[in-house]
Amino acid sequence: MLVLGIETSCDETAVSVVEDGRRIRSDIIASQADLHAHFGGIVPELASRHHLEAMLPVLERSLAEAEVAWQDIDLLAVTAGPGLAGALLVGVNSARALSFAWDVPLLGVNHLEAHVYANWLDSSTEHAGPAALPAVCLIVSGAHSDLAVMGEDGSFQRLGRTLDDAAGEAFDKVARLLGLGFPGGPAIQRAAAELGAGAAPESLPRAWLEGDHNFSFSGLKTEMLKRTRGRTLSPQDVRTLSAGFQESVADVLSAKTARAAQSLNARTVLLSGGVAANSRLRALLAERSPAPLRVPPIPLCTDNAAMVGAAGFHRWQAGDRSDLALEIDPGLPLGVRPAISRLHAVEQPNPNR
Ligand code: KG4
Ligand code: ZN
């Protein structure tokens, strides 16, 4: 089964062709990162305009690279939320138009669940295909930090989340404090890696929030502000502060994920989302995880359409359906499927009929 995946929830316009939810035939991503870097963050209006311009060329390249014609596509899977409203609209409306024009079924996908399904793709690990469930999932991106359990039926139940900033957002804001570029995660990781083996990372606090599965990064961010305000930072200061910050975030995320996996007897631990690209987080979680750990390769951690194609395939197999009335849902939480919520709405009798 060939699924065409479409992703436009933030600043990447991406279209993939994925075979049987595992094999990536193509995954074309037009990133707007350079454009938004100029403003130090994402400008929603610019993002939608660029999605609009990029959509057709990216779609054409994706089909060409996969060496398939549109007639070969069996299902269209598109991110319906969460994300920026204007950005999601371009993806969902493109998918609706294609579904109508090609007469191919359409399925709305939850972006957070799609991040987890990146771990099902063949190139992800040696053990691709469905992971052993139940799994404890840490989804850490620019807008979300969720700890969840994925049950044997594929349902997601959130265990905890960030009470303030998302982990990626904290990386981005702290990078700005340190005069590093956007996106901040890779910049902080690079600066931390430049700290010589002989030098110690800055010692920074950790918000453990004992007794639950939630996270908090605002205290750490304030501490970073206190330690940098009014100072002229030398390149070495930036390295020690970056390494200390990265250590604090990776320590808490990995320890709390490992603890949740232990207490729930998880059969797998699944890391995903843009921050899953962080090498220190990957290393610490690999060390601490009580169950086999799956981590997508770096290009499949940040936003892409292959994960949407994989999620679309598996959710379709599980019985999820959408129709041309699919709508965006910018605030869609983990565990809620756009397909299912929309189906309920469509099933309502029309009082004017
Ligand atoms: O999943 P994603 O591409 O987009 C959202 O859905 O939000 O995640 C983007 C986030 C950004 O905040 C970025 O700084 C962070 O992922 N990120 C990283 C790394 N690479 C990307 N954070 C830490 N270390 C990295 N290597
Ligand atoms: Zn994402």
Side-chain angles (χ1 to χ4, degrees):
M1 182 174 183
L2 283 183
V3 182
L4 188 95
I6 298 180
E7 159 61 40
T8 63
S9 68
C10 192
D11 62 341
E12 260 90 31
T13 317
V15 179
S16 68
V17 176
V18 175
E19 193 177 330
D20 296 337
R22 292 178 64 150
R23 191 170 156 236
I24 303 174
R25 298 279 296 265
S26 66
D27 189 17
I28 306 297
I29 304 173
S31 174
Q32 309 172 4
D34 291 347
L35 173 81
H36 298 284
H38 178 71
F39 299 96
I42 304 204
V43 185
E45 292 78 6
L46 278 184
S48 336
R49 207 173 306 151
H50 279 80
H51 284 310
L52 210 49
E53 286 171 8
M55 180 52 69
L56 287 179
V58 170
L59 168 67
E60 278 165 11
R61 268 188 61 199
S62 190
L63 289 171
E65 192 168 294
E67 296 180 338
V68 296
W70 65 263
Q71 289 90 341
D72 301 322
I73 300 299
D74 300 303
L75 174 69
L76 283 152
V78 60
T79 296
L84 300 170
L88 290 166
L89 271 174
V90 178
V92 167
N93 284 327
S94 302
R96 287 167 59 177
L98 293 172
S99 170
F100 182 76
W102 295 352
D103 195 21
V104 169
L106 171 71
L107 185 63
V109 164
N110 183 316
H111 179 80
L112 299 171
E113 297 186 8
H115 270 300
V116 175
Y117 279 105
N119 282 300
W120 270 229
L121 288 160
D122 262 352
S123 55
S124 301
T125 61
E126 295 156 42
H127 321 285
L133 302 173
V136 159
C137 312
L138 176 66
I139 309 159
V140 268
S141 72
H144 296 87
S145 294
D146 287 330
L147 193 57
V149 60
M150 184 177 187
E152 281 168 74
D153 58 354
S155 63
F156 286 85
Q157 209 187 333
R158 194 160 67 186
L159 302 168
R161 62 186 170 89
T162 179
L163 301 180
D164 36 64
D165 289 353
E169 189 183 354
F171 268 99
D172 293 336
K173 287 180 178 166
V174 164
R176 201 183 308 175
L177 274 184
L178 297 175
L180 300 168
F182 176 86
I188 287 186
Q189 181 175 314
R190 266 195 307 277
E194 283 165 16
L195 187 69
E202 178 109 354
S203 171
L204 285 156
R206 280 123 170 88
W208 287 110
L209 309 181
E210 292 296 349
D212 66 29
H213 296 296
N214 293 326
F215 306 108
S216 165
F217 301 107
S218 66
L220 176 61
K221 205 179 58 190
T222 308
E223 187 60 31
M224 292 295 288
L225 182 65
K226 277 196 210 146
R227 295 198 195 188
T228 51
R229 202 165 26 200
R231 279 178 65 192
T232 307
L233 300 173
S234 71
Q236 188 64 1
D237 291 336
V238 172
R239 292 181 199 123
T240 53
L241 283 161
S242 293
F245 170 79
Q246 177 175 266
E247 196 61 29
S248 170
V249 173
D251 186 18
V252 174
L253 289 175
S254 59
K256 293 196 81 161
T257 304
R259 209 178 299 162
Q262 183 78 54
S263 67
L264 290 162
N265 258 326
R267 294 179 64 202
T268 318
V269 172
L270 303 170
L271 179 61
S272 63
V275 183
N278 187 269
S279 54
R280 187 61 186 143
L281 174 60
R282 294 163 85 98
L284 271 181
L285 194 53
E287 215 176 282
R288 294 171 171 174
S289 175
L293 172 69
R294 280 198 191 191
V295 182
I298 309 284
L300 294 177
C301 289
T302 45
D303 289 348
N304 64 85
M307 67 185 196
V308 178
F313 173 82
H314 291 285
R315 295 314 312 160
W316 179 266
Q317 298 290 77
D320 286 6
R321 297 291 182 267
S322 305
D323 58 28
L324 283 177
L326 178 70
E327 283 177 3
I328 61 159
D329 191 343
L332 191 69
L334 182 67
V336 179
R337 263 95 190 216
I340 291 169
S341 54
R342 185 60 218 174
L343 263 188
H344 286 310
V346 169
E347 276 163 12
Q348 301 294 325
N350 180 350
N352 301 321
R353 204 174 278 155

